[in-house]
Structures are given as structure tokens and as C-alpha cells.
Amino acid sequence: MALSIQDAEILRTRVRPLVTAELIDRARARPFPPYDADIAEVLDFVRRTPDPDLPRYAIVRLGDGFAVAVRAATPGRPPAVVGARRYPDRGAAEHAVLEHRLHDHGIDW
């Protein structure tokens, strides 16, 4: 299943134009609320996961830091860690999830 016609249009006309290197830098510097309006709009779109075929991400705490994981499709199963990269704090991991979600929607900056 792909994005609805409406969500595809929102992605094309509202979200993609907002995602710039400058927005990514601002989001990295402030991974938690309060967000400015542009970051909030991008986060609202990517967090609601309108495409069920895209991964649903989670952050897991491991002995060597935080990691990005993909939630299991089967309830009760543990999330699968994505790659070997570890983040020193939850904020850095939250930002990594944003970058994964943008990449999943084909947005590069």
C-alpha cells in the first residue's frame, strides 16, 4: 500500500520543500519539544506513518548507548536493531529516527 493521494500531495507540496540542511541542523540541535513550526510540520507527517509498508521505528537502550530499531510486525516480538550505530543519548537517537523516516519517504537534503 502506498500513500493516499492526499498524503502524497502533502509530502510533495508541503513536507519536501521544508526539508533542507538548515532544518535538519535545527532539528538535530533540538530533538525534543518545543519545535518550531517547520520542524513540527515535518515531524507530524513522518510520525503518523501514513504508509503501512514503511518501517515503524523505536529507540532501544543498549549497554553501549541508544540504537534505532524497527518494531516487529508480530505483536509481542522484540524490535530489530537497525545497523551497528549507537547514539550517546536519546536525543541523538530521536534525530536518527527522523532521518530514517525522511529517507523512507525518499527525502534527501
Side-chain angles (χ1 to χ4, degrees):
M1 179 177 200
L3 292 175
S4 69
I5 292 170
Q6 295 84 2
D7 284 331
E9 186 67 7
I10 291 167
L11 179 65
R12 185 180 71 78
T13 62
R14 297 197 45 102
V15 176
R16 280 186 197 276
L18 291 174
V19 180
T20 62
E22 188 267 334
L23 179 126
I24 296 298
D25 289 344
R26 283 188 288 130
R28 182 179 294 112
R30 183 177 280 277
F32 300 109
Y35 303 114
D36 66 43
D38 291 347
I39 294 171
E41 186 166 352
V42 171
L43 287 171
D44 286 347
F45 183 84
V46 298
R47 284 181 172 167
R48 64 188 173 94
T49 314
D51 188 339
D53 292 337
L54 293 179
R56 294 183 48 92
Y57 294 102
I59 294 172
V60 294
R61 185 174 197 154
L62 302 173
D64 57 348
F66 291 84
V68 175
V70 174
R71 294 178 185 205
T74 306
R77 302 284 318 255
V81 173
V82 176
R85 183 142 187 217
R86 299 297 178 262
Y87 302 91
D89 55 53
R90 185 166 182 95
E94 289 283 351
H95 184 74
V97 168
L98 170 61
E99 290 184 353
H100 279 285
R101 286 177 171 152
L102 290 172
H103 178 75
D104 291 344
H105 284 289
I107 299 174
D108 295 311
W109 51 93

mmCIF file of all heavy atoms in Angstrom, residues 27-28 30-33 35 43 46-47 57-59 66-68 87 89-101:
data_model
loop_
_atom_site.group_PDB
_atom_site.id
_atom_site.type_symbol
_atom_site.label_atom_id
_atom_site.label_comp_id
_atom_site.label_asym_id
_atom_site.label_seq_id
_atom_site.Cartn_x
_atom_site.Cartn_y
_atom_site.Cartn_z
ATOM 1 N N ALA A 27 16.778 20.663 13.735
ATOM 2 C CA ALA A 27 16.137 19.503 14.364
ATOM 3 C C ALA A 27 17.149 18.707 15.195
ATOM 4 O O ALA A 27 16.820 18.208 16.268
ATOM 5 C CB ALA A 27 15.493 18.605 13.304
ATOM 6 N N ARG A 28 18.371 18.597 14.702
ATOM 7 C CA ARG A 28 19.423 17.886 15.436
ATOM 8 C C ARG A 28 19.746 18.618 16.744
ATOM 9 O O ARG A 28 19.942 18.001 17.783
ATOM 10 C CB ARG A 28 20.674 17.754 14.588
ATOM 11 C CG ARG A 28 21.804 16.988 15.268
ATOM 12 C CD ARG A 28 23.046 16.857 14.389
ATOM 13 N NE ARG A 28 22.775 16.027 13.224
ATOM 14 C CZ ARG A 28 22.738 16.477 11.965
ATOM 15 N NH1 ARG A 28 22.972 17.742 11.685
ATOM 16 N NH2 ARG A 28 22.492 15.656 10.963
ATOM 17 N N ARG A 30 17.746 20.468 18.488
ATOM 18 C CA ARG A 30 16.617 20.441 19.420
ATOM 19 C C ARG A 30 15.747 19.221 19.095
ATOM 20 O O ARG A 30 14.720 19.338 18.430
ATOM 21 C CB ARG A 30 15.796 21.716 19.310
ATOM 22 C CG ARG A 30 14.653 21.760 20.310
ATOM 23 C CD ARG A 30 13.883 23.061 20.251
ATOM 24 N NE ARG A 30 14.540 24.139 20.945
ATOM 25 C CZ ARG A 30 14.440 24.337 22.256
ATOM 26 N NH1 ARG A 30 13.739 23.527 22.986
ATOM 27 N NH2 ARG A 30 15.059 25.348 22.814
ATOM 28 N N PRO A 31 16.158 18.031 19.575
ATOM 29 C CA PRO A 31 15.411 16.813 19.243
ATOM 30 C C PRO A 31 14.104 16.634 20.027
ATOM 31 O O PRO A 31 13.351 15.705 19.756
ATOM 32 C CB PRO A 31 16.403 15.699 19.564
ATOM 33 C CG PRO A 31 17.294 16.278 20.606
ATOM 34 C CD PRO A 31 17.383 17.742 20.311
ATOM 35 N N PHE A 32 13.856 17.502 20.993
ATOM 36 C CA PHE A 32 12.645 17.401 21.804
ATOM 37 C C PHE A 32 11.872 18.714 21.749
ATOM 38 O O PHE A 32 12.453 19.765 21.477
ATOM 39 C CB PHE A 32 13.009 17.060 23.260
ATOM 40 C CG PHE A 32 13.741 15.760 23.394
ATOM 41 C CD1 PHE A 32 15.096 15.752 23.717
ATOM 42 C CD2 PHE A 32 13.111 14.557 23.182
ATOM 43 C CE1 PHE A 32 15.789 14.562 23.837
ATOM 44 C CE2 PHE A 32 13.797 13.356 23.296
ATOM 45 C CZ PHE A 32 15.141 13.356 23.625
ATOM 46 N N PRO A 33 10.570 18.684 22.033
ATOM 47 C CA PRO A 33 9.767 19.916 22.015
ATOM 48 C C PRO A 33 10.291 20.927 23.015
ATOM 49 O O PRO A 33 10.959 20.544 23.973
ATOM 50 C CB PRO A 33 8.374 19.442 22.416
ATOM 51 C CG PRO A 33 8.385 17.958 22.290
ATOM 52 C CD PRO A 33 9.799 17.508 22.367
ATOM 53 N N TYR A 35 9.148 22.529 19.335
ATOM 54 C CA TYR A 35 9.707 22.613 17.988
ATOM 55 C C TYR A 35 9.216 23.891 17.329
ATOM 56 O O TYR A 35 8.128 24.372 17.628
ATOM 57 C CB TYR A 35 9.238 21.438 17.134
ATOM 58 C CG TYR A 35 9.564 20.088 17.695
ATOM 59 C CD1 TYR A 35 8.553 19.231 18.105
ATOM 60 C CD2 TYR A 35 10.870 19.656 17.806
ATOM 61 C CE1 TYR A 35 8.837 17.973 18.606
ATOM 62 C CE2 TYR A 35 11.172 18.398 18.320
ATOM 63 C CZ TYR A 35 10.147 17.566 18.715
ATOM 64 O OH TYR A 35 10.435 16.335 19.214
ATOM 65 N N LEU A 43 7.734 16.636 11.354
ATOM 66 C CA LEU A 43 7.596 15.550 12.318
ATOM 67 C C LEU A 43 6.178 14.992 12.346
ATOM 68 O O LEU A 43 5.983 13.773 12.406
ATOM 69 C CB LEU A 43 7.999 16.020 13.714
ATOM 70 C CG LEU A 43 9.486 16.223 13.945
ATOM 71 C CD1 LEU A 43 9.719 16.888 15.291
ATOM 72 C CD2 LEU A 43 10.237 14.907 13.853
ATOM 73 N N VAL A 46 5.842 12.654 9.242
ATOM 74 C CA VAL A 46 6.587 11.387 9.241
ATOM 75 C C VAL A 46 6.237 10.499 10.430
ATOM 76 O O VAL A 46 6.361 9.283 10.352
ATOM 77 C CB VAL A 46 8.118 11.586 9.150
ATOM 78 C CG1 VAL A 46 8.494 12.271 7.847
ATOM 79 C CG2 VAL A 46 8.663 12.329 10.338
ATOM 80 N N ARG A 47 5.781 11.075 11.523
ATOM 81 C CA ARG A 47 5.466 10.261 12.696
ATOM 82 C C ARG A 47 4.135 9.538 12.592
ATOM 83 O O ARG A 47 3.938 8.518 13.240
ATOM 84 C CB ARG A 47 5.464 11.127 13.952
ATOM 85 C CG ARG A 47 6.854 11.467 14.413
ATOM 86 C CD ARG A 47 6.818 12.299 15.645
ATOM 87 N NE ARG A 47 8.150 12.474 16.190
ATOM 88 C CZ ARG A 47 8.454 13.359 17.115
ATOM 89 N NH1 ARG A 47 7.515 14.155 17.612
ATOM 90 N NH2 ARG A 47 9.688 13.461 17.547
ATOM 91 N N TYR A 57 9.567 2.745 13.605
ATOM 92 C CA TYR A 57 10.806 2.783 14.363
ATOM 93 C C TYR A 57 10.571 2.909 15.865
ATOM 94 O O TYR A 57 9.563 3.433 16.310
ATOM 95 C CB TYR A 57 11.680 3.951 13.894
ATOM 96 C CG TYR A 57 12.162 3.764 12.473
ATOM 97 C CD1 TYR A 57 11.566 4.434 11.425
ATOM 98 C CD2 TYR A 57 13.200 2.890 12.187
ATOM 99 C CE1 TYR A 57 11.986 4.256 10.123
ATOM 100 C CE2 TYR A 57 13.635 2.697 10.887
ATOM 101 C CZ TYR A 57 13.029 3.386 9.857
ATOM 102 O OH TYR A 57 13.457 3.191 8.570
ATOM 103 N N ALA A 58 11.551 2.431 16.586
ATOM 104 C CA ALA A 58 11.583 2.558 18.042
ATOM 105 C C ALA A 58 13.031 2.856 18.424
ATOM 106 O O ALA A 58 13.957 2.643 17.636
ATOM 107 C CB ALA A 58 11.125 1.268 18.704
ATOM 108 N N ILE A 59 13.192 3.338 19.629
ATOM 109 C CA ILE A 59 14.535 3.566 20.163
ATOM 110 C C ILE A 59 14.712 2.605 21.318
ATOM 111 O O ILE A 59 13.826 2.473 22.169
ATOM 112 C CB ILE A 59 14.698 5.014 20.637
ATOM 113 C CG1 ILE A 59 14.605 5.943 19.423
ATOM 114 C CG2 ILE A 59 16.034 5.209 21.361
ATOM 115 C CD1 ILE A 59 14.562 7.399 19.780
ATOM 116 N N PHE A 66 22.243 4.153 22.825
ATOM 117 C CA PHE A 66 20.904 4.008 22.269
ATOM 118 C C PHE A 66 21.012 3.570 20.817
ATOM 119 O O PHE A 66 21.978 3.910 20.131
ATOM 120 C CB PHE A 66 20.147 5.336 22.345
ATOM 121 C CG PHE A 66 19.808 5.745 23.750
ATOM 122 C CD1 PHE A 66 20.736 6.423 24.523
ATOM 123 C CD2 PHE A 66 18.582 5.443 24.295
ATOM 124 C CE1 PHE A 66 20.442 6.816 25.817
ATOM 125 C CE2 PHE A 66 18.266 5.819 25.589
ATOM 126 C CZ PHE A 66 19.197 6.506 26.351
ATOM 127 N N ALA A 67 20.010 2.825 20.356
ATOM 128 C CA ALA A 67 20.009 2.352 18.974
ATOM 129 C C ALA A 67 18.626 2.546 18.372
ATOM 130 O O ALA A 67 17.618 2.592 19.085
ATOM 131 C CB ALA A 67 20.394 0.876 18.912
ATOM 132 N N VAL A 68 18.597 2.655 17.058
ATOM 133 C CA VAL A 68 17.346 2.702 16.325
ATOM 134 C C VAL A 68 16.963 1.266 16.006
ATOM 135 O O VAL A 68 17.808 0.450 15.618
ATOM 136 C CB VAL A 68 17.501 3.525 15.025
ATOM 137 C CG1 VAL A 68 16.232 3.464 14.193
ATOM 138 C CG2 VAL A 68 17.870 4.963 15.353
ATOM 139 N N TYR A 87 24.081 5.592 19.652
ATOM 140 C CA TYR A 87 23.991 7.023 19.906
ATOM 141 C C TYR A 87 24.216 7.274 21.390
ATOM 142 O O TYR A 87 23.750 6.501 22.227
ATOM 143 C CB TYR A 87 22.627 7.550 19.448
ATOM 144 C CG TYR A 87 22.412 7.266 17.977
ATOM 145 C CD1 TYR A 87 21.786 6.091 17.560
ATOM 146 C CD2 TYR A 87 22.894 8.137 17.005
ATOM 147 C CE1 TYR A 87 21.630 5.805 16.212
ATOM 148 C CE2 TYR A 87 22.731 7.855 15.656
ATOM 149 C CZ TYR A 87 22.103 6.696 15.267
ATOM 150 O OH TYR A 87 21.958 6.410 13.928
ATOM 151 N N ASP A 89 23.041 9.508 23.408
ATOM 152 C CA ASP A 89 21.888 9.912 24.216
ATOM 153 C C ASP A 89 20.611 9.735 23.402
ATOM 154 O O ASP A 89 20.645 9.515 22.187
ATOM 155 C CB ASP A 89 22.030 11.346 24.723
ATOM 156 C CG ASP A 89 22.260 12.349 23.594
ATOM 157 O OD1 ASP A 89 21.463 12.361 22.624
ATOM 158 O OD2 ASP A 89 23.226 13.122 23.682
ATOM 159 N N ARG A 90 19.489 9.825 24.087
ATOM 160 C CA ARG A 90 18.196 9.616 23.431
ATOM 161 C C ARG A 90 17.920 10.683 22.369
ATOM 162 O O ARG A 90 17.328 10.394 21.332
ATOM 163 C CB ARG A 90 17.072 9.588 24.457
ATOM 164 C CG ARG A 90 15.754 9.263 23.813
ATOM 165 C CD ARG A 90 14.691 8.886 24.809
ATOM 166 N NE ARG A 90 13.493 8.544 24.082
ATOM 167 C CZ ARG A 90 13.137 7.330 23.735
ATOM 168 N NH1 ARG A 90 13.881 6.310 24.093
ATOM 169 N NH2 ARG A 90 12.044 7.113 23.052
ATOM 170 N N GLY A 91 18.356 11.915 22.608
ATOM 171 C CA GLY A 91 18.142 12.974 21.628
ATOM 172 C C GLY A 91 18.785 12.665 20.290
ATOM 173 O O GLY A 91 18.184 12.876 19.231
ATOM 174 N N ALA A 92 20.008 12.164 20.318
ATOM 175 C CA ALA A 92 20.690 11.800 19.072
ATOM 176 C C ALA A 92 19.967 10.651 18.376
ATOM 177 O O ALA A 92 19.853 10.624 17.150
ATOM 178 C CB ALA A 92 22.143 11.429 19.362
ATOM 179 N N ALA A 93 19.457 9.705 19.147
ATOM 180 C CA ALA A 93 18.708 8.588 18.571
ATOM 181 C C ALA A 93 17.380 9.071 17.983
ATOM 182 O O ALA A 93 16.960 8.609 16.915
ATOM 183 C CB ALA A 93 18.469 7.508 19.623
ATOM 184 N N GLU A 94 16.713 10.010 18.658
ATOM 185 C CA GLU A 94 15.467 10.583 18.131
ATOM 186 C C GLU A 94 15.724 11.251 16.782
ATOM 187 O O GLU A 94 14.935 11.106 15.845
ATOM 188 C CB GLU A 94 14.884 11.608 19.107
ATOM 189 C CG GLU A 94 14.302 11.027 20.365
ATOM 190 C CD GLU A 94 12.941 10.384 20.186
ATOM 191 O OE1 GLU A 94 12.329 10.511 19.101
ATOM 192 O OE2 GLU A 94 12.491 9.743 21.139
ATOM 193 N N HIS A 95 16.828 11.968 16.687
ATOM 194 C CA HIS A 95 17.151 12.619 15.420
ATOM 195 C C HIS A 95 17.438 11.572 14.339
ATOM 196 O O HIS A 95 17.028 11.748 13.181
ATOM 197 C CB HIS A 95 18.334 13.568 15.572
ATOM 198 C CG HIS A 95 18.604 14.305 14.310
ATOM 199 N ND1 HIS A 95 17.805 15.335 13.868
ATOM 200 C CD2 HIS A 95 19.551 14.128 13.361
ATOM 201 C CE1 HIS A 95 18.260 15.759 12.708
ATOM 202 N NE2 HIS A 95 19.317 15.050 12.380
ATOM 203 N N ALA A 96 18.111 10.504 14.700
ATOM 204 C CA ALA A 96 18.388 9.444 13.727
ATOM 205 C C ALA A 96 17.085 8.832 13.200
ATOM 206 O O ALA A 96 16.977 8.528 12.013
ATOM 207 C CB ALA A 96 19.261 8.365 14.362
ATOM 208 N N VAL A 97 16.097 8.688 14.070
ATOM 209 C CA VAL A 97 14.796 8.166 13.630
ATOM 210 C C VAL A 97 14.175 9.122 12.613
ATOM 211 O O VAL A 97 13.634 8.692 11.589
ATOM 212 C CB VAL A 97 13.850 7.921 14.828
ATOM 213 C CG1 VAL A 97 12.429 7.661 14.356
ATOM 214 C CG2 VAL A 97 14.353 6.754 15.662
ATOM 215 N N LEU A 98 14.255 10.420 12.876
ATOM 216 C CA LEU A 98 13.742 11.393 11.909
ATOM 217 C C LEU A 98 14.422 11.205 10.559
ATOM 218 O O LEU A 98 13.751 11.160 9.513
ATOM 219 C CB LEU A 98 13.955 12.819 12.419
ATOM 220 C CG LEU A 98 13.674 13.934 11.407
ATOM 221 C CD1 LEU A 98 12.221 13.916 10.940
ATOM 222 C CD2 LEU A 98 14.058 15.284 11.984
ATOM 223 N N GLU A 99 15.738 11.080 10.553
ATOM 224 C CA GLU A 99 16.452 10.903 9.291
ATOM 225 C C GLU A 99 16.051 9.609 8.585
ATOM 226 O O GLU A 99 15.890 9.590 7.368
ATOM 227 C CB GLU A 99 17.957 10.957 9.532
ATOM 228 C CG GLU A 99 18.432 12.358 9.894
ATOM 229 C CD GLU A 99 19.934 12.467 10.036
ATOM 230 O OE1 GLU A 99 20.645 11.436 9.981
ATOM 231 O OE2 GLU A 99 20.413 13.601 10.202
ATOM 232 N N HIS A 100 15.856 8.523 9.348
ATOM 233 C CA HIS A 100 15.387 7.266 8.748
ATOM 234 C C HIS A 100 14.017 7.460 8.104
ATOM 235 O O HIS A 100 13.772 6.993 6.988
ATOM 236 C CB HIS A 100 15.290 6.156 9.810
ATOM 237 C CG HIS A 100 16.585 5.499 10.132
ATOM 238 N ND1 HIS A 100 17.206 4.595 9.298
ATOM 239 C CD2 HIS A 100 17.378 5.601 11.217
ATOM 240 C CE1 HIS A 100 18.319 4.170 9.849
ATOM 241 N NE2 HIS A 100 18.450 4.768 11.022
ATOM 242 N N ARG A 101 13.121 8.124 8.816
ATOM 243 C CA ARG A 101 11.763 8.324 8.290
ATOM 244 C C ARG A 101 11.781 9.183 7.031
ATOM 245 O O ARG A 101 11.055 8.910 6.075
ATOM 246 C CB ARG A 101 10.884 8.965 9.354
ATOM 247 C CG ARG A 101 10.509 8.000 10.445
ATOM 248 C CD ARG A 101 9.701 8.694 11.513
ATOM 249 N NE ARG A 101 9.162 7.723 12.459
ATOM 250 C CZ ARG A 101 8.894 7.999 13.713
ATOM 251 N NH1 ARG A 101 9.110 9.215 14.192
ATOM 252 N NH2 ARG A 101 8.401 7.078 14.501
#
